[in-house]
Amino acid sequence: MDTRILARVAGPMIRMFDRFLRLGEGGQTAEEAERIRAVRLSIVGASTPWMMAANVCNATLAMLVFQGSSASTAVNLVCLLIFVSAVHTSFSWWRNRNRGPRERASLRGTVRAVIYAALLSGLWATLDVVAYHVADETQRMVLIALTVGMAGGGGFALATIPPAAITFCSTVAVGAAVALSRDPTMVGAYLFALYLVFAAIIIRSSLAVCRSLTERVRAKIAADEQRDVINLLLNDFEENAADWLWGVDSDFNLERASARFYEQMQVPENMVLGRPITSIIPFSPVSVDGRNCRENFVNSLLSKQTFRDQDICVELGGELAIWSLTAKAILDEKGNFTGYRGVGRDVTASRESRIRIEHMARHDPLTEVGNRVMLAEDFTRAVSRHERFGDLFSVLLLDLDRFKQINDNLGHTGGDELLRSVASILSQLRGESDTLARVGGDEFAILHLSGDDPQSAALLAARIIDKLQKPIALRTGMAHIGVSIGIACAPIDGTDPDQLMRNADLALYRAKADGRNRYRFFDSSLDAAARRRSLIEQELALAVAEEQLSINYQPLIDAQSRKVVCAEALLRWTHPTLGVISPAEFIPIAEESGQIGAIGSWVLRQACKDAASWPDSIRIAVNLSSRQFLSPGLLPLVETALRQNDLPAHRLELEVTESLLMETTIGVEETLASLSRLGLRIALDDFGTGFSSLSYLRRYHFDKLKIDQSFISDLETNSDSRAIVEAVIKLARDLRMSVAAEGVETNGQFELLRQLGCGEIQGYLVGRPKPLDHFEQYLRDNSTSVQRLSA
């Protein structure tokens, strides 16, 4: 039982004593505490000689003051012990003075300091106890001064070790309290209270000093660790990195450099150390970014300012390389320049990569000629030269003719090879100062700077047309193409690059409209036409939304019975301010702008709605554009229009053009077959024009052929036209197709077509296109047959 009670009492006391010994070590790791403790003890150790000297002097003074006193024996004995302690401590310090400072100290060092403080302060406390009560006034004053002085001196000397400082002050305080308690006067109480205040200040200052010291030591430890890491990294950098360090003095002589620097130089260290760095580096006469490398580097050194990433071209072993040098100017305390410390690296590979990337950014990857980026940059320079010196320039915009057919026939590989061949030809034909760029799939642009007038651009365009109209040999076969060219000249047609490109594009559009394989200059009429086209495109969208479009119907009659058998739906547009706009003008715009789908859907629905009230013997014919025909929504649209208007499928006739059949996609054949399965009729419109091919008639099923009016207009006078018409009629009859002739305007044409066996007649002779109400009146007037034929 007694052992357990003792253990319960001793445990808390031991823990309390341990916390007391660790005063000032809060928040520290074990490793930090050991390192900071070593610094604290070393500070106390450094002041040991002065502390011991003070103890010897004060003890000697006490012995002299109490000489002849009744307490002299006791005082002398205590002072002698103080002498012995001081001498022993001083001897230990002397013996260990040459030892280096310890990096770490365990808690035992603090324990020894506390024990030493307790012993020494105990001796001074004993001196108070044995001498104060028998001392006279003078001796008491000396004793009080010694007590306060030793408490203060010991407390501050041991301030870096708070437990030792507290022990020293507390022990002296105990001795003073015992001595003063034997003095019945109030003076003793006052003196003891003052001492306690003094001791509290000492202890508080000790803890503050300890805290401050801890922060400084921690900062120093962090700095040492950072320095060690930096040194380690620098050593690793110098040993393993591709970069190298270098340094020069105020005269730019090489002071030091990494081993890799000498490896790059391929010379030993002793041959270059101490020599001017400008004479060491093997500069190449090749310039970088248009500047002399050596001169630029020397100027940077002479400026005595920090510089970064300065490229220099060097020649090593007969090969060129690019170094990038960075250096910091080093100044002394007075701000005087003392040299440079820098880093260098070989950037040859990265610069080559950058050059390749810059090349790729400004060149077309397929043809290796310029791209829009290069064209824009050179455009800017051309405009600048024109503004400064009046230099003229022009831009030629080229579009290859029949490239799509070549690409379809020879495949993308053949198309790519053709583009490369064309780019090579254009590179040879252009002037040395001209810029050639590929700006689209089969579009090229030439910024022509070689001429003094537009005629120079015309000559260049003529040479290009002449060259590209000749067959081009490819690995996949021969390619027969042509080229259309639009030309805009500065400053006649403007100086803004975007405006010039737009004007050249308008001229190119005119060249293609005029028959391709030719060039055209921009003129103001093209701009006016373009503005009108843009206006029509905008107004057309509004017309669709506000239902400004209308449908006229033109009758087709049976050539033998003269009965109306069909009506063709023809789109019309009367604009509120622009007036009547021809379908030949607005329908191509609708096709190019993508509005033809919505327009065609409306026409189909409206035509079926109108035809539903006509006699069952009359069909309605609706034209389909290529875009609308290839739309996946065509079949549902037709089915819905027929169902909603209760119109039998055989009364609907859809007309397609030959240009649609050039689309070799599977969708064309499938769509035609699906429409035929619905029961409606398919007519091939404008047969005999464009790219007519008899293979269309064999591959696709049509119910009717419509002979273009260009063959009908001179049918009576041109035997060739008559032979062609007769052949088409016979061919259609043999293929079980009906035939309709468009553009019939005379009775002679009508009689001749009827004799040749043409089934249906359409034209002004039969009837002009009419609004719905007029057409329905026409049907009522000719309910049995068309009696009067008149254009």
Side-chain angles (χ1 to χ4, degrees):
M1 179 65 72
D2 294 340
T3 304
R4 289 197 298 271
I5 294 174
L6 184 62
R8 283 200 297 269
V9 173
M13 292 182 64
I14 292 172
R15 289 193 294 273
M16 185 181 298
F17 182 67
D18 183 73
R19 286 197 296 272
F20 173 71
L21 292 176
R22 297 181 185 276
L23 280 175
E25 297 181 4
Q28 300 175 13
T29 64
E31 183 178 358
E32 276 185 335
E34 291 181 353
R35 297 184 66 176
I36 294 174
R37 195 181 296 129
V39 175
R40 293 173 177 170
L41 293 173
S42 66
I43 292 174
V44 173
S47 61
T48 295
W50 304 103
M51 291 174 58
M52 296 306 101
N55 276 273
V56 169
C57 291
N58 290 337
T60 302
L61 178 61
M63 290 174 66
L64 293 175
V65 169
F66 282 92
Q67 188 175 3
S69 171
S70 60
S72 62
T73 301
V75 169
N76 290 338
L77 179 60
V78 173
C79 289
L80 182 60
L81 291 175
I82 292 173
F83 285 150
V84 173
S85 177
V87 171
H88 177 267
T89 302
S90 299
F91 178 75
S92 297
W93 174 83
W94 179 263
R95 186 178 56 190
N96 297 322
R97 71 186 188 282
N98 293 325
R99 290 184 180 179
R102 299 177 62 182
E103 293 186 1
R104 288 177 172 78
S106 65
L107 203 59
R108 289 195 301 270
T110 303
V111 172
R112 285 195 296 269
V114 170
I115 293 173
Y116 175 78
L119 290 175
L120 191 58
S121 61
L123 290 174
W124 286 106
T126 301
L127 184 63
D128 287 340
V129 172
V130 300
Y132 187 80
H133 68 284
V134 297
D136 55 24
E137 291 296 325
T138 301
Q139 291 171 338
R140 285 188 174 186
M141 289 180 62
V142 171
L143 198 58
I144 291 171
L146 288 174
T147 300
V148 174
M150 287 308 301
F156 281 111
L158 296 170
T160 58
I161 309 177
I166 293 172
T167 299
F168 195 95
C169 292
S170 300
T171 304
V172 173
V174 170
V178 172
L180 292 173
S181 67
R182 301 172 69 178
D183 184 3
T185 64
M186 288 299 296
V187 175
Y190 293 151
L191 289 174
F192 185 70
L194 290 173
Y195 178 80
L196 290 179
V197 173
F198 187 62
I201 294 173
I202 293 173
I203 293 171
R204 183 69 182 83
S205 300
S206 172
L207 293 174
V209 169
C210 182
R211 217 168 22 249
S212 176
L213 177 65
T214 298
E215 292 175 358
R216 291 200 307 272
V217 173
R218 273 181 165 174
K220 184 176 182 301
I221 290 173
D224 290 343
E225 290 178 349
Q226 187 177 20
R227 185 183 65 250
D228 292 342
V229 171
I230 291 174
N231 289 335
L232 180 64
L233 291 176
L234 284 175
N235 291 335
D236 182 69
F237 177 85
E238 293 192 359
E239 291 177 4
N240 302 313
D243 299 358
W244 62 85
L245 302 176
W246 59 277
V248 296
D249 58 20
S250 58
D251 295 324
F252 312 127
N253 297 318
L254 185 66
E255 282 188 329
R256 64 179 298 274
S258 302
R260 191 164 297 277
F261 173 78
Y262 303 113
E263 292 177 7
Q264 289 281 335
M265 296 289 297
Q266 302 175 3
V267 293
E269 179 180 352
N270 57 5
M271 288 186 63
V272 294
L273 204 61
R275 291 176 53 192
I277 193 169
T278 53
S279 66
I280 296 171
I281 297 177
F283 291 97
S284 169
V286 178
S287 62
V288 175
D289 297 331
R291 294 176 293 179
N292 183 281
C293 297
R294 179 186 176 86
E295 180 181 348
N296 195 39
F297 182 62
V298 170
N299 290 336
S300 297
L301 293 177
L302 293 176
S303 70
K304 298 182 180 179
Q305 301 291 324
T306 297
F307 58 87
R308 294 182 59 83
D309 299 326
Q310 182 170 129
D311 289 350
I312 62 172
C313 191
V314 297
E315 186 173 352
L316 299 170
E319 295 185 359
L320 294 178
I322 299 177
W323 289 357
S324 178
L325 301 179
T326 295
K328 179 181 179 181
I330 307 300
L331 307 177
D332 60 15
E333 296 82 0
K334 298 180 180 180
N336 297 320
F337 175 76
T338 61
Y340 281 107
R341 296 293 179 271
V343 63
R345 62 183 181 274
D346 190 326
V347 295
T348 307
S350 63
R351 292 295 183 270
E352 289 177 349
S353 298
R354 187 181 71 182
I355 291 172
R356 284 197 299 271
I357 292 172
E358 290 177 351
H359 178 84
M360 291 170 61
R362 301 175 70 249
H363 289 76
D364 174 56
L366 176 63
T367 61
E368 287 298 318
V369 300
N371 59 12
R372 288 185 178 271
V373 175
M374 175 185 285
L375 184 65
E377 293 174 353
D378 290 355
F379 244 131
T380 302
R381 282 190 284 270
V383 171
S384 177
R385 289 190 60 84
H386 170 71
E387 293 174 348
R388 294 172 60 191
F389 308 112
D391 292 354
L392 304 180
F393 65 95
S394 56
V395 59
L396 289 75
L397 196 58
L398 298 77
D399 183 82
L400 301 184
D401 299 333
R402 297 186 296 279
F403 175 76
K404 186 178 184 301
Q405 293 93 307
I406 299 295
N407 208 37
D408 291 341
N409 294 335
L410 302 182
H412 291 297
T413 302
D416 290 347
E417 185 183 0
L418 174 61
L419 289 174
R420 286 192 291 267
S421 298
V422 170
S424 175
I425 293 171
L426 295 177
S427 297
Q428 297 171 14
L429 295 175
R430 68 180 176 90
E432 292 184 1
S433 57
D434 294 349
T435 299
L436 170 63
R438 182 182 176 212
V439 295
D442 62 337
E443 285 190 356
F444 294 84
I446 297 178
L447 183 61
H448 183 56
L449 308 175
S450 307
D452 296 329
D453 55 58
Q455 188 60 30
S456 175
L459 292 174
L460 174 60
R463 291 200 305 271
I464 293 173
I465 291 172
D466 180 65
K467 185 69 175 179
L468 292 184
Q469 69 182 353
K470 298 176 181 177
I472 299 176
L474 305 175
R475 289 193 299 271
T476 51
M478 298 297 293
H480 298 267
I481 63 169
V483 62
S484 300
I485 304 176
I487 306 173
C489 302
I492 303 171
D493 303 323
T495 56
D496 179 70
D498 291 337
Q499 181 186 8
L500 285 170
M501 287 294 290
R502 176 179 174 275
N503 291 343
D505 189 51
L506 292 174
L508 172 62
Y509 187 82
R510 171 61 63 85
K512 291 192 290 186
D514 288 349
R516 301 177 181 271
N517 203 37
R518 65 197 63 215
Y519 67 86
R520 289 291 182 265
F521 280 96
F522 170 80
D523 61 59
S524 56
S525 64
L526 297 179
D527 193 34
R531 285 197 296 270
R532 176 175 172 82
R533 184 191 181 283
S534 177
L535 176 62
I536 288 177
E537 181 177 336
Q538 296 173 19
E539 293 297 314
L540 184 59
L542 187 63
V544 174
E546 297 184 353
E547 299 183 353
Q548 294 178 4
L549 302 177
S550 62
I551 302 176
N552 283 1
Y553 296 95
Q554 186 175 25
L556 287 84
I557 67 171
D558 183 273
Q560 304 301 324
S561 66
R562 297 192 177 189
K563 290 183 178 181
V564 178
V565 294
C566 186
E568 181 178 1
L570 300 172
L571 189 62
R572 294 294 184 263
W573 180 20
T574 301
H575 190 272
T577 57
L578 298 178
V580 176
I581 303 176
S582 169
E585 183 178 13
F586 73 80
I587 287 181
I589 295 175
E591 290 178 341
E592 293 178 16
S593 62
Q595 300 181 65
I596 193 64
I599 294 173
S601 298
W602 176 81
V603 169
L604 180 62
R605 290 193 301 269
Q606 188 63 41
C608 289
K609 179 181 178 182
D610 293 343
S613 61
W614 301 345
D616 292 342
S617 60
I618 301 176
R619 302 186 306 276
I620 178 67
V622 179
N623 290 279
L624 293 181
S625 70
S626 298
R627 185 185 294 267
Q628 186 180 12
F629 184 86
L630 296 173
S631 170
L634 175 62
L635 207 60
L637 173 65
V638 172
E639 292 176 330
T640 302
L642 293 174
R643 184 176 61 254
Q644 288 181 345
N645 297 288
D646 198 23
L647 185 73
H650 70 269
R651 291 187 58 197
L652 177 61
E653 192 171 280
L654 298 181
E655 297 184 1
V656 298
T657 60
E658 288 180 303
S659 60
L660 169 67
L661 305 181
M662 295 177 62
E663 299 287 344
T664 56
T665 60
I666 300 177
V668 172
E669 189 169 359
E670 289 184 349
T671 302
L672 285 173
S674 299
L675 292 173
S676 295
R677 282 195 294 270
L678 289 178
L680 51 81
R681 293 167 57 85
I682 307 295
L684 182 58
D685 195 15
D686 299 332
F687 185 76
T689 62
F691 300 94
S692 296
S693 173
L694 295 179
S695 63
Y696 298 153
L697 303 180
R698 183 181 62 180
R699 181 174 180 180
Y700 305 115
H701 170 72
F702 296 102
D703 298 288
K704 183 166 70 174
L705 291 183
K706 296 188 73 175
I707 303 174
D708 187 70
Q709 63 180 350
S710 61
F711 296 101
I712 305 301
S713 60
D714 59 350
L715 181 64
E716 298 174 273
T717 58
N718 190 323
S719 59
D720 292 337
S721 295
R722 187 165 56 253
I724 292 174
V725 170
E726 185 177 4
V728 170
I729 293 173
K730 185 177 185 304
L731 176 66
R733 187 167 54 245
D734 292 342
L735 293 175
R736 298 176 299 282
M737 291 186 289
S738 63
V739 181
E742 298 178 306
V744 179
E745 297 182 355
T746 67
N747 285 297
Q749 294 170 353
F750 176 84
E751 288 299 328
L752 190 54
L753 288 168
R754 188 175 64 81
Q755 293 172 11
L756 292 174
C758 182
E760 297 176 7
I761 305 297
Q762 179 182 7
Y764 286 177
L765 181 68
V766 174
R768 294 174 180 269
K770 310 173 189 299
L772 176 63
D773 55 346
H774 292 182
F775 178 74
E776 290 180 342
Q777 182 61 45
Y778 173 86
L779 292 180
R780 287 192 291 270
D781 295 342
N782 300 278
S783 57
T784 57
S785 65
V786 179
Q787 301 299 324
R788 183 173 178 272
L789 298 177
S790 175

